[in-house]
Amino acid sequence: MRRLVRETRVHPAQLVLPVFVREGLEDSRDIESLPGVQQHSLDALPGVIDAAAEAGIGAVMLFAIPEARDATGTAACAADGILNRAIARAAEAAQGRVVVMADLCLDEFTDHGHCGVLAADGTVDNDATNEVYAVMAVSQARAGADVVAPSGMMDGQTAVIRAALDAEGFTSTSILAYSAKYASAAYGPFRDAVESELVGDRKAYQMDPANRREGLVESTLDEAEGADIVMVKPALPYLDVLADVAAASAVPVAAYHVSGEYAQIEAAAERGWIDRRVAHLEAVTSIVRAGADIVLTYAALEVAGWLKEDM
Ligand code: PBG
């Protein structure tokens, strides 16, 4: 009876697996604050893509950690930079079985750890950063990304990226815009995963957790600027924002169950305080119930397996 009257059904195709690729690694290595998640070597990537395709999930979201960083994040736009090489490897392995998404942001590539380039006074320069994002987007499309995902929260980034892609002929490369991205405590383990150099915080560009209406303003702007998918992040603490965005949005809506949200479940499960499987399924189901069409989760492969078992 519960199955018959269920209001929300989650399908593996809605899930996106974030994947970390670390330059210079021989073997994949564990990330301590993200149990079950690894930094992969470039050579391990095709195996991850195969696993994603076999699990039937919709996409992977690639992040990369370079060996060398500088003030402007040069390696982010280089064709032989680790992220672009990872995109090419993933696209080649995927053969259209899963969508290849790429993080479009400078924080992994700058030696100060900010998501953009800095002005003389040390603050992030919004418009100068957008110029770099435009070049980075084109380099990612050229490497074979199906979707570029700007996560730096610069004003106007979606419009600048769309124009740059179109000008280079990449008219069918899609944009997943991190639209309502809050300055959250829940990114801690991710910053370990990417070996972040950040000192301080991102409050000058990420949103105030206290603001609900502003989330809708941000997603509406991104949609008008040409976003193909808008996203709310983190997910569970922001289900109100997600519901608002889903109600108003004409494009698909994604939500990111971020590293700290994942790690909370893992840490409690490790202590025997929570049932891991039930907790992850409850999280994803709740995010979809609130209005997400697409969910990014580090548990995507396992969740896909559990969903099939439960069918
Ligand atoms: C930054 C970025 C962040 C995440 C994805 N892209 C974190 C940040 O703002 O430091 C977080 C994802 C997660 O915590 O799982 N470009």
Side-chain angles (χ1 to χ4, degrees), residues 131 133-135 137-139 141-142 158-173 175:
E131 284 175 33
Y133 285 175
V135 177
V138 170
S139 75
R142 195 163 280 140
T158 301
V160 170
I161 290 165
R162 184 71 269 159
L165 289 171
D166 290 351
E168 292 294 322
F170 295 108
T171 50
S172 34
T173 304
I175 300 175

Side-chain angles (χ1 to χ4, degrees), residues 21 105 114 151 153 201 218 239 258 295:
V21 178
C105 191
H114 275 292
S151 64
M153 288 299 281
D201 59 55
E218 291 283 352
L239 290 186
V258 300
V295 183

Side-chain angles (χ1 to χ4, degrees), residues 63 103 105 107-108 115 151-152 178 181 186-188 190-191 202 206 233 256-260 298:
F63 296 93
D103 185 53
C105 191
D107 62 315
E108 280 90 55
C115 294
S151 64
Y178 284 66
K181 177 173 177 180
Y187 305 147
F190 174 92
R191 291 185 190 168
R202 305 198 197 285
Q206 297 182 352
K233 170 189 177 185
Y256 198 149
H257 188 244
V258 300
S259 60
Y298 297 93

Side-chain angles (χ1 to χ4, degrees), residues 39-143:
Q39 285 185 337
H40 292 288
S41 65
L42 205 50
D43 288 338
L45 190 54
V48 177
I49 299 296
D50 284 341
E54 275 154 32
I57 67 168
V60 294
M61 175 69 78
L62 299 174
F63 296 93
I65 305 102
E67 237 159 8
R69 296 173 154 143
D70 60 23
T72 56
T74 312
C77 301
D80 64 351
I82 184 63
L83 183 51
N84 284 328
R85 283 164 65 204
I87 292 167
R89 277 299 276 279
E92 185 192 338
Q95 293 297 322
R97 292 176 300 161
V98 286
V99 169
V100 175
M101 302 178 163
D103 185 53
L104 202 176
C105 191
L106 291 179
D107 62 315
E108 280 90 55
F109 300 93
T110 54
D111 54 13
H112 44 74
H114 275 292
C115 294
V117 293
L118 304 184
D121 64 359
T123 60
V124 172
D125 186 331
N126 189 95
D127 293 4
T129 299
N130 281 344
E131 284 175 33
V132 183
Y133 285 175
V135 177
M136 189 175 179
V138 170
S139 75
Q140 294 185 332
R142 195 163 280 140

